[in-house]
Amino acid sequence: MSPRTKEQNEVIREMRMTQIMRAAAEVYLEKGIQLEIRDVAVQAELGYGTVYHYYKNKHMLLEDMLWDALNRTESALFPDVTGDGGSLRKAESFSRLLLRECVQDPSVFILLKTVADNFHQFPGNRFIKLYTEFQERIYLPFVGMIREGMGSSSPEKTANLVFGSLVGYAALNIHHNMQSEIDAEGIVNMIFSGIRPRESGTE
Amino acid sequence: MSPRTKEQNEVIREMRMTQIMRAAAEVYLEKGIQLEIRDVAVQAELGYGTVYHYYKNKHMLLEDMLWDALNRTESALFPDVTGDGGSLRKAESFSRLLLRECVQDPSVFILLKTVADNFHQFPGNRFIKLYTEFQERIYLPFVGMIREGMGSSSPEKTANLVFGSLVGYAALNIHHNMQSEIDAEGIVNMIFSGIRPRESGTE
Amino acid sequence: MSPRTKEQNEVIREMRMTQIMRAAAEVYLEKGIQLEIRDVAVQAELGYGTVYHYYKNKHMLLEDMLWDALNRTESALFPDVTGDGGSLRKAESFSRLLLRECVQDPSVFILLKTVADNFHQFPGNRFIKLYTEFQERIYLPFVGMIREGMGSSSPEKTANLVFGSLVGYAALNIHHNMQSEIDAEGIVNMIFSGIRPRESGTE
Amino acid sequence: MSPRTKEQNEVIREMRMTQIMRAAAEVYLEKGIQLEIRDVAVQAELGYGTVYHYYKNKHMLLEDMLWDALNRTESALFPDVTGDGGSLRKAESFSRLLLRECVQDPSVFILLKTVADNFHQFPGNRFIKLYTEFQERIYLPFVGMIREGMGSSSPEKTANLVFGSLVGYAALNIHHNMQSEIDAEGIVNMIFSGIRPRESGTE
DNA sequence: GATGAATGAGACTTCATTCAT
DNA sequence: CATGAATGAAGTCTCATTCAT
């Protein structure tokens, strides 16, 4: 009866959802949590009914977008990070990659900012699971690197400091349309030269 | 003739408006731009009609709150900053004070975050004037200190870096209810040790 | 205890109420039924609390204003009208005076227009009494003049025709700020030359 | 691809908007400018959300209703008017048609009354354009007929007189639920016999 | 799968009115 | 008497969501 096979439909489905999430991220960048489904539909060049065809409601869409971003963040970070070198080097590399992802992928930026802001202004506790997973899959590994690399007594504080700075810096540039100016190398060097333990001896 | 004198009324007005702005800042911290006038009224322990007695609408209230914060920020920074010492010292001092204001005064935090985010998610261009004044009265002086202190070729980039980091760090802590953990001294030292030009000579 | 005698207070009271009604008429001319008590207060150069000191609510104020206008209309018309001459002459004279009152006294105009519009858009049936009295004291006498003057089979229809025309003409001019252009003589002549029974034969 | 074609949707839109405007005119007749969107929706047998689906707000709805009435007024008048006969005959015919339209089509009546009242009580200057067009398309042609027909030195005054009278007469009858009594022939004869220049000589 | 017509919950805002001073 | 601070009922409007096609 159907002129399309199941597989074809599956492909369309996949495509549409990606298209919608991408649009949502772009609109979110502009309007924040106040984004309207209608805006998303316009941005995606779809009717707004179509958005509802794929997402039961606004929050499911945002949630899906953020889960997707979490997955992509993880894949972007870990192949490269888990490598050689001292742990602090890893943390630096991790930070650099994070920043680069932010610039390239709006939804990754949104994820990080949203986590940094503790999902304030997101209603309900729909996002607790997402937050927990972010902690486990992204934040705690990062804290680990810092701990190992510095022997710091409170690696969480340091991690927060780095994480907050990175996200704040990214936000400032992105919201002022200066993505291109973001100097991942520079800021990461700065931050880490600031936190790196004073080399003993000759100072 | 008049039951209350003009002065008495003026005092009441002043008081109420401050009370309302304070309440608004607190609610904003929790709900962001989605704050409802009803919440503000509840927080201020007033009927919501009273809020409308003083502010024509939500945005006028927020605007007034931010102007007020701008004034307080300025007064908090400059008496102390314009002092002795090298310019970089001044910039450090400035940063430290900024962070402390953020912690003590929610509306200052909101101002800084809002400026950093370029008023994205604030509708219309009601806030251009505020932004311009912030630039003139807070940001440019800060850029000046950096320029003098570092001879950097792009003090703006450095200022953005510092400013973004400070605000990002503050946001992360405030939104996770860790104001008390904010280590103004620590983060400012870190940032400035990161940007301070390498001392030539013996290193 | 009171520094003013009862009489003095009575005088003030009288004065204030007139002042308020006058202001109300002026505002009504501009904003219609949507007039706000605050506007009236501004126009009367009083605090809006003061208006409420004299009038329990908006509708009582309007009602009082219209009753007042009714009384003034009656006194303006009848001394002069009940005179000599044929009844049609009286009706003409009546019409002319009516129009002149309209121009000089906004609240008379409002009364006539409101009656012509059957108090549509006035809520409730607060105004039935006023309407009835208007009929008895102004409209029916006028119908009587027409009946006598024309021997018409339906003097009401003719009266409506005249009354509607007068009010419509007045409204058009007043709302276009052309009170000064109102040519009472002209329009009344026109209307009455139109309704006057054709004089037969020898003229 | 599309479930309903663009054309189908266009037809629905057109229908609904007409339905809503018609309902609005009916409600306006009863409540005037104080009409509520809810009443309009009830009258149109639609949810009030649907009204907002088509009209951004109350004033846009009224504006559209009046533009529509202007167009219909024009089409009703001119095919028949631009005909044979002396200009005064045309003006009479024009007046008769105008009055008939008023009776049959509430929104035409509202348009004429609103214009006569110079949009007093309509807020803002949203309606200037409409007023101007009314002048050009309806009023000035009418003034022209009068000028030609009478050689009057001030055809505008005469036109105002006629127009004001017609609208006032219509208003009185309509607001007293006496549409059926409106005697277009009669009042038009009356008015024009009143303004027609006395035939010199032989009468 | 794709769409926009239809809808009402709920937020926003106005403004009449009360009342303490 | 005179006033404006305070208030919430009631209207305006937005926007997420449902659903017929």
PDB file of all heavy atoms in Angstrom, chain E residues 1 3-5 7 10-14 17 19-20:
ATOM      1  P    DG E   1       5.660   8.538   9.387  1.00  0.00           P
ATOM      2  OP1  DG E   1       5.538   7.110   9.075  1.00  0.00           O
ATOM      3  OP2  DG E   1       6.530   9.193  10.312  1.00  0.00           O
ATOM      4  O5'  DG E   1       5.714   9.222   7.942  1.00  0.00           O
ATOM      5  C5'  DG E   1       6.863   9.175   7.113  1.00  0.00           C
ATOM      6  C4'  DG E   1       6.716  10.303   6.121  1.00  0.00           C
ATOM      7  O4'  DG E   1       5.354  10.305   5.636  1.00  0.00           O
ATOM      8  C3'  DG E   1       6.925  11.689   6.725  1.00  0.00           C
ATOM      9  O3'  DG E   1       7.413  12.557   5.711  1.00  0.00           O
ATOM     10  C2'  DG E   1       5.526  12.076   7.172  1.00  0.00           C
ATOM     11  C1'  DG E   1       4.701  11.496   6.031  1.00  0.00           C
ATOM     12  N9   DG E   1       3.363  11.123   6.477  1.00  0.00           N
ATOM     13  C8   DG E   1       3.007  10.253   7.460  1.00  0.00           C
ATOM     14  N7   DG E   1       1.715  10.149   7.619  1.00  0.00           N
ATOM     15  C5   DG E   1       1.177  11.010   6.676  1.00  0.00           C
ATOM     16  C6   DG E   1      -0.171  11.331   6.382  1.00  0.00           C
ATOM     17  O6   DG E   1      -1.180  10.887   6.905  1.00  0.00           O
ATOM     18  N1   DG E   1      -0.256  12.269   5.354  1.00  0.00           N
ATOM     19  C2   DG E   1       0.817  12.822   4.694  1.00  0.00           C
ATOM     20  N2   DG E   1       0.546  13.713   3.743  1.00  0.00           N
ATOM     21  N3   DG E   1       2.094  12.534   4.969  1.00  0.00           N
ATOM     22  C4   DG E   1       2.191  11.626   5.973  1.00  0.00           C
ATOM     23  P    DT E   3       5.496  19.944   5.019  1.00  0.00           P
ATOM     24  OP1  DT E   3       5.884  20.765   3.858  1.00  0.00           O
ATOM     25  OP2  DT E   3       6.368  19.824   6.192  1.00  0.00           O
ATOM     26  O5'  DT E   3       4.079  20.454   5.485  1.00  0.00           O
ATOM     27  C5'  DT E   3       3.039  20.534   4.496  1.00  0.00           C
ATOM     28  C4'  DT E   3       1.752  20.901   5.176  1.00  0.00           C
ATOM     29  O4'  DT E   3       1.306  19.817   6.001  1.00  0.00           O
ATOM     30  C3'  DT E   3       1.859  22.094   6.119  1.00  0.00           C
ATOM     31  O3'  DT E   3       1.373  23.210   5.424  1.00  0.00           O
ATOM     32  C2'  DT E   3       1.005  21.713   7.334  1.00  0.00           C
ATOM     33  C1'  DT E   3       0.399  20.368   6.924  1.00  0.00           C
ATOM     34  N1   DT E   3       0.219  19.378   8.012  1.00  0.00           N
ATOM     35  C2   DT E   3      -1.049  18.937   8.311  1.00  0.00           C
ATOM     36  O2   DT E   3      -2.046  19.341   7.725  1.00  0.00           O
ATOM     37  N3   DT E   3      -1.139  18.025   9.323  1.00  0.00           N
ATOM     38  C4   DT E   3      -0.092  17.505  10.049  1.00  0.00           C
ATOM     39  O4   DT E   3      -0.288  16.687  10.926  1.00  0.00           O
ATOM     40  C5   DT E   3       1.224  18.001   9.687  1.00  0.00           C
ATOM     41  C7   DT E   3       2.439  17.498  10.421  1.00  0.00           C
ATOM     42  C6   DT E   3       1.314  18.910   8.698  1.00  0.00           C
ATOM     43  P    DG E   4       1.740  24.715   5.858  1.00  0.00           P
ATOM     44  OP1  DG E   4       1.930  25.491   4.614  1.00  0.00           O
ATOM     45  OP2  DG E   4       2.769  24.736   6.919  1.00  0.00           O
ATOM     46  O5'  DG E   4       0.344  25.124   6.511  1.00  0.00           O
ATOM     47  C5'  DG E   4      -0.834  24.985   5.710  1.00  0.00           C
ATOM     48  C4'  DG E   4      -2.043  24.973   6.611  1.00  0.00           C
ATOM     49  O4'  DG E   4      -1.979  23.822   7.478  1.00  0.00           O
ATOM     50  C3'  DG E   4      -2.128  26.172   7.572  1.00  0.00           C
ATOM     51  O3'  DG E   4      -3.505  26.351   7.911  1.00  0.00           O
ATOM     52  C2'  DG E   4      -1.405  25.654   8.792  1.00  0.00           C
ATOM     53  C1'  DG E   4      -2.014  24.255   8.828  1.00  0.00           C
ATOM     54  N9   DG E   4      -1.296  23.319   9.665  1.00  0.00           N
ATOM     55  C8   DG E   4       0.049  23.292   9.961  1.00  0.00           C
ATOM     56  N7   DG E   4       0.370  22.319  10.770  1.00  0.00           N
ATOM     57  C5   DG E   4      -0.828  21.671  11.026  1.00  0.00           C
ATOM     58  C6   DG E   4      -1.115  20.546  11.832  1.00  0.00           C
ATOM     59  O6   DG E   4      -0.322  19.881  12.514  1.00  0.00           O
ATOM     60  N1   DG E   4      -2.469  20.221  11.823  1.00  0.00           N
ATOM     61  C2   DG E   4      -3.431  20.891  11.089  1.00  0.00           C
ATOM     62  N2   DG E   4      -4.682  20.437  11.189  1.00  0.00           N
ATOM     63  N3   DG E   4      -3.170  21.941  10.325  1.00  0.00           N
ATOM     64  C4   DG E   4      -1.861  22.278  10.343  1.00  0.00           C
ATOM     65  P    DA E   5      -4.256  27.626   7.589  1.00  0.00           P
ATOM     66  OP1  DA E   5      -4.339  27.708   6.137  1.00  0.00           O
ATOM     67  OP2  DA E   5      -3.702  28.739   8.388  1.00  0.00           O
ATOM     68  O5'  DA E   5      -5.700  27.267   8.146  1.00  0.00           O
ATOM     69  C5'  DA E   5      -6.441  26.211   7.541  1.00  0.00           C
ATOM     70  C4'  DA E   5      -7.369  25.553   8.559  1.00  0.00           C
ATOM     71  O4'  DA E   5      -6.609  24.675   9.421  1.00  0.00           O
ATOM     72  C3'  DA E   5      -8.090  26.525   9.484  1.00  0.00           C
ATOM     73  O3'  DA E   5      -9.393  26.001   9.726  1.00  0.00           O
ATOM     74  C2'  DA E   5      -7.241  26.516  10.737  1.00  0.00           C
ATOM     75  C1'  DA E   5      -6.768  25.067  10.778  1.00  0.00           C
ATOM     76  N9   DA E   5      -5.472  24.878  11.416  1.00  0.00           N
ATOM     77  C8   DA E   5      -4.308  25.530  11.126  1.00  0.00           C
ATOM     78  N7   DA E   5      -3.281  25.137  11.855  1.00  0.00           N
ATOM     79  C5   DA E   5      -3.816  24.164  12.675  1.00  0.00           C
ATOM     80  C6   DA E   5      -3.246  23.353  13.681  1.00  0.00           C
ATOM     81  N6   DA E   5      -1.964  23.411  14.035  1.00  0.00           N
ATOM     82  N1   DA E   5      -4.054  22.483  14.320  1.00  0.00           N
ATOM     83  C2   DA E   5      -5.342  22.421  13.958  1.00  0.00           C
ATOM     84  N3   DA E   5      -5.992  23.124  13.032  1.00  0.00           N
ATOM     85  C4   DA E   5      -5.159  23.987  12.423  1.00  0.00           C
ATOM     86  P    DT E   7     -12.571  25.881  16.746  1.00  0.00           P
ATOM     87  OP1  DT E   7     -13.788  25.102  17.000  1.00  0.00           O
ATOM     88  OP2  DT E   7     -12.632  27.301  16.358  1.00  0.00           O
ATOM     89  O5'  DT E   7     -11.644  25.754  18.020  1.00  0.00           O
ATOM     90  C5'  DT E   7     -11.267  24.445  18.447  1.00  0.00           C
ATOM     91  C4'  DT E   7     -10.310  24.549  19.622  1.00  0.00           C
ATOM     92  O4'  DT E   7      -9.011  24.921  19.151  1.00  0.00           O
ATOM     93  C3'  DT E   7     -10.697  25.618  20.650  1.00  0.00           C
ATOM     94  O3'  DT E   7     -11.133  24.969  21.825  1.00  0.00           O
ATOM     95  C2'  DT E   7      -9.433  26.436  20.873  1.00  0.00           C
ATOM     96  C1'  DT E   7      -8.363  25.597  20.203  1.00  0.00           C
ATOM     97  N1   DT E   7      -7.242  26.365  19.608  1.00  0.00           N
ATOM     98  C2   DT E   7      -5.961  26.085  20.007  1.00  0.00           C
ATOM     99  O2   DT E   7      -5.691  25.253  20.842  1.00  0.00           O
ATOM    100  N3   DT E   7      -4.984  26.836  19.399  1.00  0.00           N
ATOM    101  C4   DT E   7      -5.174  27.814  18.464  1.00  0.00           C
ATOM    102  O4   DT E   7      -4.222  28.416  17.991  1.00  0.00           O
ATOM    103  C5   DT E   7      -6.545  28.060  18.072  1.00  0.00           C
ATOM    104  C7   DT E   7      -6.857  29.106  17.067  1.00  0.00           C
ATOM    105  C6   DT E   7      -7.504  27.322  18.658  1.00  0.00           C
ATOM    106  P    DG E  10      -3.247  25.635  32.766  1.00  0.00           P
ATOM    107  OP1  DG E  10      -2.208  24.640  33.115  1.00  0.00           O
ATOM    108  OP2  DG E  10      -4.395  25.878  33.649  1.00  0.00           O
ATOM    109  O5'  DG E  10      -2.514  27.036  32.529  1.00  0.00           O
ATOM    110  C5'  DG E  10      -1.451  27.105  31.592  1.00  0.00           C
ATOM    111  C4'  DG E  10      -1.071  28.564  31.385  1.00  0.00           C
ATOM    112  O4'  DG E  10      -2.051  29.219  30.548  1.00  0.00           O
ATOM    113  C3'  DG E  10      -1.018  29.405  32.664  1.00  0.00           C
ATOM    114  O3'  DG E  10       0.080  30.290  32.539  1.00  0.00           O
ATOM    115  C2'  DG E  10      -2.319  30.194  32.616  1.00  0.00           C
ATOM    116  C1'  DG E  10      -2.341  30.469  31.128  1.00  0.00           C
ATOM    117  N9   DG E  10      -3.588  30.956  30.591  1.00  0.00           N
ATOM    118  C8   DG E  10      -4.864  30.666  31.010  1.00  0.00           C
ATOM    119  N7   DG E  10      -5.779  31.286  30.312  1.00  0.00           N
ATOM    120  C5   DG E  10      -5.071  32.016  29.383  1.00  0.00           C
ATOM    121  C6   DG E  10      -5.516  32.886  28.373  1.00  0.00           C
ATOM    122  O6   DG E  10      -6.672  33.179  28.070  1.00  0.00           O
ATOM    123  N1   DG E  10      -4.452  33.437  27.653  1.00  0.00           N
ATOM    124  C2   DG E  10      -3.131  33.171  27.888  1.00  0.00           C
ATOM    125  N2   DG E  10      -2.237  33.781  27.104  1.00  0.00           N
ATOM    126  N3   DG E  10      -2.702  32.360  28.840  1.00  0.00           N
ATOM    127  C4   DG E  10      -3.725  31.823  29.548  1.00  0.00           C
ATOM    128  P    DA E  11       0.980  30.619  33.782  1.00  0.00           P
ATOM    129  OP1  DA E  11       1.871  29.485  34.015  1.00  0.00           O
ATOM    130  OP2  DA E  11       0.076  31.128  34.835  1.00  0.00           O
ATOM    131  O5'  DA E  11       1.846  31.858  33.272  1.00  0.00           O
ATOM    132  C5'  DA E  11       2.423  31.841  31.978  1.00  0.00           C
ATOM    133  C4'  DA E  11       2.222  33.168  31.292  1.00  0.00           C
ATOM    134  O4'  DA E  11       0.844  33.285  30.853  1.00  0.00           O
ATOM    135  C3'  DA E  11       2.488  34.389  32.178  1.00  0.00           C
ATOM    136  O3'  DA E  11       3.402  35.239  31.505  1.00  0.00           O
ATOM    137  C2'  DA E  11       1.117  35.044  32.342  1.00  0.00           C
ATOM    138  C1'  DA E  11       0.406  34.607  31.069  1.00  0.00           C
ATOM    139  N9   DA E  11      -1.043  34.577  31.223  1.00  0.00           N
ATOM    140  C8   DA E  11      -1.761  33.861  32.129  1.00  0.00           C
ATOM    141  N7   DA E  11      -3.059  34.042  32.038  1.00  0.00           N
ATOM    142  C5   DA E  11      -3.191  34.942  31.008  1.00  0.00           C
ATOM    143  C6   DA E  11      -4.313  35.541  30.419  1.00  0.00           C
ATOM    144  N6   DA E  11      -5.561  35.298  30.813  1.00  0.00           N
ATOM    145  N1   DA E  11      -4.097  36.395  29.399  1.00  0.00           N
ATOM    146  C2   DA E  11      -2.843  36.646  29.007  1.00  0.00           C
ATOM    147  N3   DA E  11      -1.710  36.139  29.478  1.00  0.00           N
ATOM    148  C4   DA E  11      -1.959  35.285  30.491  1.00  0.00           C
ATOM    149  P    DC E  12       3.832  36.594  32.119  1.00  0.00           P
ATOM    150  OP1  DC E  12       5.193  36.870  31.658  1.00  0.00           O
ATOM    151  OP2  DC E  12       3.485  36.637  33.555  1.00  0.00           O
ATOM    152  O5'  DC E  12       2.852  37.585  31.349  1.00  0.00           O
ATOM    153  C5'  DC E  12       2.964  37.684  29.936  1.00  0.00           C
ATOM    154  C4'  DC E  12       2.129  38.869  29.495  1.00  0.00           C
ATOM    155  O4'  DC E  12       0.742  38.591  29.755  1.00  0.00           O
ATOM    156  C3'  DC E  12       2.456  40.156  30.244  1.00  0.00           C
ATOM    157  O3'  DC E  12       2.533  41.201  29.280  1.00  0.00           O
ATOM    158  C2'  DC E  12       1.291  40.335  31.210  1.00  0.00           C
ATOM    159  C1'  DC E  12       0.155  39.657  30.472  1.00  0.00           C
ATOM    160  N1   DC E  12      -0.919  39.065  31.321  1.00  0.00           N
ATOM    161  C2   DC E  12      -2.249  39.354  31.020  1.00  0.00           C
ATOM    162  O2   DC E  12      -2.488  40.105  30.076  1.00  0.00           O
ATOM    163  N3   DC E  12      -3.228  38.794  31.769  1.00  0.00           N
ATOM    164  C4   DC E  12      -2.931  37.965  32.771  1.00  0.00           C
ATOM    165  N4   DC E  12      -3.934  37.440  33.466  1.00  0.00           N
ATOM    166  C5   DC E  12      -1.580  37.653  33.086  1.00  0.00           C
ATOM    167  C6   DC E  12      -0.616  38.219  32.344  1.00  0.00           C
ATOM    168  P    DT E  13       3.075  42.612  29.708  1.00  0.00           P
ATOM    169  OP1  DT E  13       3.681  43.249  28.541  1.00  0.00           O
ATOM    170  OP2  DT E  13       3.815  42.472  30.979  1.00  0.00           O
ATOM    171  O5'  DT E  13       1.717  43.373  30.011  1.00  0.00           O
ATOM    172  C5'  DT E  13       0.708  43.380  28.980  1.00  0.00           C
ATOM    173  C4'  DT E  13      -0.518  44.062  29.525  1.00  0.00           C
ATOM    174  O4'  DT E  13      -1.245  43.171  30.383  1.00  0.00           O
ATOM    175  C3'  DT E  13      -0.265  45.332  30.343  1.00  0.00           C
ATOM    176  O3'  DT E  13      -0.836  46.369  29.580  1.00  0.00           O
ATOM    177  C2'  DT E  13      -0.945  45.084  31.668  1.00  0.00           C
ATOM    178  C1'  DT E  13      -1.907  43.948  31.350  1.00  0.00           C
ATOM    179  N1   DT E  13      -2.248  43.021  32.445  1.00  0.00           N
ATOM    180  C2   DT E  13      -3.576  42.835  32.749  1.00  0.00           C
ATOM    181  O2   DT E  13      -4.479  43.434  32.172  1.00  0.00           O
ATOM    182  N3   DT E  13      -3.835  41.937  33.741  1.00  0.00           N
ATOM    183  C4   DT E  13      -2.898  41.216  34.452  1.00  0.00           C
ATOM    184  O4   DT E  13      -3.256  40.431  35.325  1.00  0.00           O
ATOM    185  C5   DT E  13      -1.522  41.453  34.104  1.00  0.00           C
ATOM    186  C7   DT E  13      -0.443  40.721  34.829  1.00  0.00           C
ATOM    187  C6   DT E  13      -1.269  42.329  33.130  1.00  0.00           C
ATOM    188  P    DT E  14      -0.885  47.860  30.089  1.00  0.00           P
ATOM    189  OP1  DT E  14      -0.561  48.662  28.915  1.00  0.00           O
ATOM    190  OP2  DT E  14      -0.159  47.998  31.358  1.00  0.00           O
ATOM    191  O5'  DT E  14      -2.435  48.068  30.388  1.00  0.00           O
ATOM    192  C5'  DT E  14      -3.368  47.549  29.472  1.00  0.00           C
ATOM    193  C4'  DT E  14      -4.732  47.729  30.055  1.00  0.00           C
ATOM    194  O4'  DT E  14      -4.916  46.813  31.148  1.00  0.00           O
ATOM    195  C3'  DT E  14      -4.996  49.123  30.622  1.00  0.00           C
ATOM    196  O3'  DT E  14      -6.264  49.468  30.092  1.00  0.00           O
ATOM    197  C2'  DT E  14      -4.986  48.923  32.137  1.00  0.00           C
ATOM    198  C1'  DT E  14      -5.472  47.492  32.260  1.00  0.00           C
ATOM    199  N1   DT E  14      -5.036  46.684  33.416  1.00  0.00           N
ATOM    200  C2   DT E  14      -5.977  45.931  34.053  1.00  0.00           C
ATOM    201  O2   DT E  14      -7.156  45.931  33.736  1.00  0.00           O
ATOM    202  N3   DT E  14      -5.504  45.162  35.081  1.00  0.00           N
ATOM    203  C4   DT E  14      -4.200  45.070  35.513  1.00  0.00           C
ATOM    204  O4   DT E  14      -3.895  44.338  36.442  1.00  0.00           O
ATOM    205  C5   DT E  14      -3.255  45.896  34.791  1.00  0.00           C
ATOM    206  C7   DT E  14      -1.820  45.851  35.191  1.00  0.00           C
ATOM    207  C6   DT E  14      -3.706  46.641  33.795  1.00  0.00           C
ATOM    208  P    DT E  17     -15.909  51.507  39.251  1.00  0.00           P
ATOM    209  OP1  DT E  17     -17.145  50.710  39.295  1.00  0.00           O
ATOM    210  OP2  DT E  17     -15.949  52.947  38.938  1.00  0.00           O
ATOM    211  O5'  DT E  17     -15.148  51.303  40.630  1.00  0.00           O
ATOM    212  C5'  DT E  17     -14.891  49.966  41.076  1.00  0.00           C
ATOM    213  C4'  DT E  17     -13.973  49.985  42.267  1.00  0.00           C
ATOM    214  O4'  DT E  17     -12.641  50.336  41.872  1.00  0.00           O
ATOM    215  C3'  DT E  17     -14.345  50.969  43.382  1.00  0.00           C
ATOM    216  O3'  DT E  17     -14.647  50.194  44.531  1.00  0.00           O
ATOM    217  C2'  DT E  17     -13.110  51.817  43.590  1.00  0.00           C
ATOM    218  C1'  DT E  17     -12.021  50.926  43.005  1.00  0.00           C
ATOM    219  N1   DT E  17     -10.794  51.598  42.537  1.00  0.00           N
ATOM    220  C2   DT E  17      -9.596  51.210  43.087  1.00  0.00           C
ATOM    221  O2   DT E  17      -9.501  50.355  43.941  1.00  0.00           O
ATOM    222  N3   DT E  17      -8.488  51.861  42.595  1.00  0.00           N
ATOM    223  C4   DT E  17      -8.478  52.860  41.629  1.00  0.00           C
ATOM    224  O4   DT E  17      -7.418  53.360  41.273  1.00  0.00           O
ATOM    225  C5   DT E  17      -9.770  53.216  41.090  1.00  0.00           C
ATOM    226  C7   DT E  17      -9.863  54.261  40.042  1.00  0.00           C
ATOM    227  C6   DT E  17     -10.849  52.572  41.566  1.00  0.00           C
ATOM    228  P    DC E  19     -12.222  49.276  51.639  1.00  0.00           P
ATOM    229  OP1  DC E  19     -12.073  47.949  52.256  1.00  0.00           O
ATOM    230  OP2  DC E  19     -13.438  50.093  51.829  1.00  0.00           O
ATOM    231  O5'  DC E  19     -10.976  50.159  52.081  1.00  0.00           O
ATOM    232  C5'  DC E  19      -9.660  49.648  51.820  1.00  0.00           C
ATOM    233  C4'  DC E  19      -8.633  50.679  52.246  1.00  0.00           C
ATOM    234  O4'  DC E  19      -8.455  51.657  51.207  1.00  0.00           O
ATOM    235  C3'  DC E  19      -9.018  51.473  53.507  1.00  0.00           C
ATOM    236  O3'  DC E  19      -7.857  51.625  54.281  1.00  0.00           O
ATOM    237  C2'  DC E  19      -9.458  52.816  52.954  1.00  0.00           C
ATOM    238  C1'  DC E  19      -8.477  52.935  51.777  1.00  0.00           C
ATOM    239  N1   DC E  19      -8.905  53.882  50.721  1.00  0.00           N
ATOM    240  C2   DC E  19      -7.945  54.650  50.058  1.00  0.00           C
ATOM    241  O2   DC E  19      -6.763  54.529  50.372  1.00  0.00           O
ATOM    242  N3   DC E  19      -8.349  55.513  49.102  1.00  0.00           N
ATOM    243  C4   DC E  19      -9.643  55.608  48.790  1.00  0.00           C
ATOM    244  N4   DC E  19      -9.996  56.446  47.840  1.00  0.00           N
ATOM    245  C5   DC E  19     -10.637  54.822  49.449  1.00  0.00           C
ATOM    246  C6   DC E  19     -10.231  53.981  50.402  1.00  0.00           C
ATOM    247  P    DA E  20      -7.941  51.400  55.834  1.00  0.00           P
ATOM    248  OP1  DA E  20      -8.019  49.945  56.033  1.00  0.00           O
ATOM    249  OP2  DA E  20      -8.942  52.309  56.450  1.00  0.00           O
ATOM    250  O5'  DA E  20      -6.485  51.865  56.276  1.00  0.00           O
ATOM    251  C5'  DA E  20      -5.354  51.435  55.515  1.00  0.00           C
ATOM    252  C4'  DA E  20      -4.365  52.578  55.350  1.00  0.00           C
ATOM    253  O4'  DA E  20      -4.842  53.510  54.337  1.00  0.00           O
ATOM    254  C3'  DA E  20      -4.126  53.405  56.611  1.00  0.00           C
ATOM    255  O3'  DA E  20      -2.739  53.694  56.681  1.00  0.00           O
ATOM    256  C2'  DA E  20      -4.974  54.671  56.390  1.00  0.00           C
ATOM    257  C1'  DA E  20      -4.902  54.821  54.873  1.00  0.00           C
ATOM    258  N9   DA E  20      -6.076  55.448  54.249  1.00  0.00           N
ATOM    259  C8   DA E  20      -7.396  55.217  54.546  1.00  0.00           C
ATOM    260  N7   DA E  20      -8.230  55.893  53.798  1.00  0.00           N
ATOM    261  C5   DA E  20      -7.410  56.635  52.953  1.00  0.00           C
ATOM    262  C6   DA E  20      -7.678  57.556  51.931  1.00  0.00           C
ATOM    263  N6   DA E  20      -8.919  57.896  51.569  1.00  0.00           N
ATOM    264  N1   DA E  20      -6.628  58.111  51.294  1.00  0.00           N
ATOM    265  C2   DA E  20      -5.393  57.755  51.650  1.00  0.00           C
ATOM    266  N3   DA E  20      -5.012  56.900  52.596  1.00  0.00           N
ATOM    267  C4   DA E  20      -6.078  56.370  53.216  1.00  0.00           C
TER     268       DA E  20
END
